[in-house]
Amino acid sequence: MSYEKLLEQLTRHGQEHLVKYWPELNENEREQLASEIQNLDLEEVNEIFRRATESTKVILEKFDDDLKPIPQAHYESVPGLSQEKVLEYENIGFQEISDDKVGVLLLAGGQATRLGFGYPKGMYDVGLPSRKTLFQIQAERILKVQQMAEQRTGKSGKVTWYIMTSEHTMGPTADFFKQHNYFGLDEDNIIFFNQGRLPCFDFNGKIFLDEKYHLSTAPDGNGGIYRALKTQGILDDIARRGVEHLHAHSVDNLLIKVADPVFIGYCKSKNADCAAKVVSKSSPSEAVGVVCRVNGYYKVVEYSELTEEAANRRNPDGKLTFSAGSICNHYFSAQFLQKICNYESKLKHHISNKKIPYIDENGVRVKPSEPNGIKLEKFIFDVFEFAENFICLEVARDVEFSALKNADSAKKDCPSTAREDLLRLHRKYIREAGGIIDDNVDVEISPLLSYGGEDLKDLVENEVFVISPFHLKSMTESSSNGVNGNH
């Protein structure tokens, strides 16, 4: 496209500053810039910015009048269920796995920059005795759950693993899986796809240049998954394979029960199209979004949007009224995803004020010290309101949730807290199976040996654990005892 045409198109949409440095660019740089501009639907991008900023002005409404907790009929708590009920849900889930009807949607686009690690977060090792990475642990949980399903049903099935990366993490992630032979999983059942990107804007809606020949863009949030599923052929793949249930979660929960048969079974038995796993809030002021109903629609209300009165409200039994803490752990029926991806453009974009490097008036690249612009993103949970049968499953935090967000200096949601949460859970599993272990002894149980504390009795009953750190492995892992240094 000629410079004149490009300028005319940009001027029509108020973004003509993007070609300000055209005379200084060489042929390759001009090609890159022209191609990036042409790949944008400028009308749509401007409209997205306008809608997002408009809706932010009205978002500060208080939700109190029409705020309701999840109705009891749509809510169950695993710690409160009988063993029979858990087994019933689990058996349904195992059957679906054996019938190849279960897929996992892994949100793995993030770089681990906050952890001081220059690679995709899934490649991070929190320092467990085994030195396994997040990707390896989750892959091994899938292997184990497939094996358990076969033992329970007599039929061998496969879980399809859909891994959403970002433009920058796709290459390193795919290489990492290849180098590790897909951690024992079938390569055909692992599908990588990319989330989209959106331009970064200044506060007046002008798109930033990151370089004179390159637009500033950022990933479109975990809610970008819906557009990506559609545009990258994943919905077609789900339909082709006959997958009916998708378990979606973020990569950074060390305790995640991947393809959890209890969750799948619960959702299938209730005929849910969409569901969320939640944990009970630890205190009224815990900074976590709450799953609830607003105007009759299911939503996640951010902690900052709850009034103090609502955050502190309690039921007659003393439990917080709004206690269903959102942990980015969701279920979608394949049918619901097909439906939602057709009108994902209606999902709102959320505004995030950020420090965005940019090329200034003088052609100099500036790294601001204060937020100077806007990144736009969608959230995965914004589809809850479109569900016809939405349900919640409360799980025990110490069993299923430990986030990895920060460097150790934060002392919260960091490698050392996640590692300690997992080791504490594994000590609990050992004690429940009849083993003897002190709180200062660190024993990690391989996911290939036990998915959730089962099958340990024969191995640990009456055993006293004193060696620390220690890696308790399955027969298929190396036959040497003690710590496994492989990763």
Side-chain angles (χ1 to χ4, degrees):
M1 185 186 273
S2 70
Y3 167 75
E4 287 72 24
K5 277 217 166 116
L6 211 51
L7 180 62
E8 181 199 332
Q9 187 184 344
L10 287 165
T11 307
R12 203 162 56 240
H13 298 286
Q15 302 287 0
E16 62 277 8
H17 62 286
L18 294 177
V19 289
K20 178 177 178 180
Y21 302 103
W22 190 267
E24 301 172 33
L25 304 182
N26 65 36
E27 203 48 50
N28 285 348
E29 290 169 340
R30 286 178 177 182
E31 255 177 53
Q32 181 178 333
L33 183 61
S35 151
E36 287 183 13
I37 291 168
Q38 282 172 275
N39 283 335
L40 280 185
D41 180 334
L42 286 163
E43 191 171 343
E44 182 190 31
V45 161
N46 280 347
E47 177 60 14
I48 285 170
F49 179 85
R50 189 193 64 73
R51 281 214 318 260
T53 44
E54 283 297 304
S55 68
T56 303
K57 286 175 193 157
V58 297
I59 203 115
L60 296 166
E61 59 188 318
K62 288 300 174 196
F63 290 128
D64 270 26
D65 301 341
D66 47 22
L67 193 66
K68 303 245 182 338
I70 305 293
Q72 278 306 301
H74 291 247
Y75 196 99
E76 285 186 14
S77 167
V78 173
L81 293 176
S82 67
Q83 232 3 78
E84 291 75 30
K85 201 70 186 161
V86 171
L87 198 62
E88 179 192 321
Y89 290 152
E90 195 177 61
N91 282 336
I92 296 169
F94 280 142
Q95 190 59 59
E96 297 305 292
I97 289 169
S98 291
D99 290 340
D100 297 336
K101 289 181 179 173
V102 174
V104 171
L105 286 173
L106 178 65
L107 310 173
Q111 293 273 30
T113 36
R114 270 201 263 173
L115 300 167
F117 180 70
Y119 297 96
K121 203 185 257 189
M123 288 164 63
Y124 192 77
D125 147 24
V126 301
L128 290 166
S130 66
R131 311 303 304 198
K132 288 175 183 175
T133 60
L134 294 169
F135 280 143
Q136 181 169 356
I137 290 165
Q138 290 170 29
E140 290 181 354
R141 286 182 186 148
I142 291 175
L143 277 166
K144 182 64 177 171
V145 86
Q146 288 177 166
Q147 187 192 337
M148 290 163 73
E150 184 176 2
Q151 285 166 349
R152 193 73 63 90
T153 65
K155 183 180 174 191
S156 166
K158 292 286 181 281
V159 170
T160 309
W161 203 7
Y162 298 101
I163 301 176
M164 184 170 82
T165 61
S166 63
E167 185 181 47
H168 300 297
T169 60
M170 167 72 93
T173 300
D175 290 347
F176 188 70
F177 271 76
K178 197 171 181 182
Q179 284 158 17
H180 291 84
N181 292 324
Y182 302 91
F183 304 105
L185 288 164
D186 187 338
E187 182 189 346
D188 293 341
N189 296 322
I190 301 176
I191 291 109
F192 301 102
F193 66 106
N194 258 344
Q195 77 184 99
R197 296 180 75 80
L198 281 170
C200 301
F201 299 87
D202 70 12
F203 294 125
N204 298 313
K206 303 290 184 197
I207 296 169
F208 279 123
L209 282 172
D210 187 51
E211 300 285 356
K212 292 176 181 178
Y213 53 87
H214 174 47
L215 308 184
S216 175
T217 63
D220 56 3
N222 57 22
I225 192 166
Y226 304 111
R227 174 170 280 207
L229 289 173
K230 189 175 180 181
T231 58
Q232 305 213 19
I234 303 300
L235 286 181
D236 297 338
D237 189 84
I238 287 170
R240 186 176 58 75
R241 290 171 187 261
V243 170
E244 292 179 11
H245 316 279
L246 283 303
H247 181 197
H249 64 86
S250 54
V251 75
D252 56 9
N253 175 6
L254 190 61
L255 302 185
I256 186 76
K257 286 191 165 182
V258 190
D260 177 17
V262 175
F263 192 32
I264 302 292
Y266 169 61
C267 292
K268 181 175 167 66
S269 72
K270 303 291 181 197
N271 203 18
D273 53 0
C274 178
K277 269 194 187 186
V278 295
V279 295
S280 188
K281 276 180 68 168
S282 57
S283 71
S285 61
E286 186 185 0
V288 60
V290 175
V291 184
C292 52
R293 282 197 305 166
V294 181
N295 288 330
Y297 292 105
Y298 293 98
K299 277 190 175 3
V300 173
V301 173
E302 291 301 330
Y303 164 66
S304 55
E305 295 169 345
L306 274 184
T307 60
E308 202 176 332
E309 188 281 322
N312 284 283
R313 200 179 305 165
R314 292 185 185 270
N315 301 337
D317 64 0
K319 189 177 173 177
L320 288 172
T321 303
F322 297 104
S323 65
S326 173
I327 55 171
C328 195
N329 193 330
H330 309 308
Y331 165 90
F332 303 108
S333 72
Q335 221 175 343
F336 178 71
L337 284 179
Q338 290 282 358
K339 178 181 87 171
I340 217 69
C341 292
N342 283 331
Y343 54 85
E344 67 79 32
S345 57
K346 293 188 177 65
L347 296 180
K348 66 178 180 200
H349 284 83
H350 302 262
I351 277 182
S352 203
N353 292 346
K354 297 281 187 186
K355 294 182 274 197
I356 303 165
Y358 67 103
I359 301 295
D360 72 5
E361 289 300 296
N362 309 314
V364 178
R365 192 169 191 272
V366 177
K367 280 191 160 182
S369 54
E370 293 295 317
N372 64 317
I374 284 172
K375 290 184 179 178
L376 295 173
E377 52 186 8
K378 290 182 174 178
F379 296 154
I380 191 167
F381 50 67
D382 284 336
V383 298
F384 290 0
E385 61 183 277
F386 302 110
E388 282 168 36
N389 187 15
F390 177 85
I391 59 176
C392 263
L393 186 65
E394 184 187 311
V395 296
R397 186 188 292 248
D398 66 330
V399 177
E400 295 203 37
F401 183 58
S402 183
L404 181 64
K405 304 281 185 200
N406 311 312
D408 269 343
S409 54
K411 296 186 167 46
K412 180 179 182 289
D413 296 342
C414 61
S416 54
T417 55
R419 181 173 64 245
E420 186 43 50
D421 286 344
L422 183 126
L423 294 170
R424 189 187 302 119
L425 175 64
H426 288 189
R427 283 194 285 271
K428 176 176 152 177
Y429 286 159
I430 287 168
R431 287 175 186 139
E432 285 172 351
I436 298 146
I437 185 167
D438 279 345
D439 281 348
N440 58 356
V441 176
D442 291 340
V443 176
E444 173 191 0
I445 301 166
S446 167
L448 296 171
L449 177 64
S450 182
Y451 178 84
E454 73 297 318
D455 299 337
L456 294 174
K457 199 174 167 70
D458 291 349
L459 207 57
V460 309
E461 195 169 30
N462 300 323
E463 290 289 331
V464 181
F465 289 83
V466 286
I467 299 171
S468 181
F470 188 83
H471 181 210
L472 201 55
K473 299 181 227 171
S474 73
M475 295 293 282
T476 55
E477 290 173 276
S478 73
S479 51
S480 64
N481 289 322
V483 175
N484 172 12
N486 303 334
H487 63 291

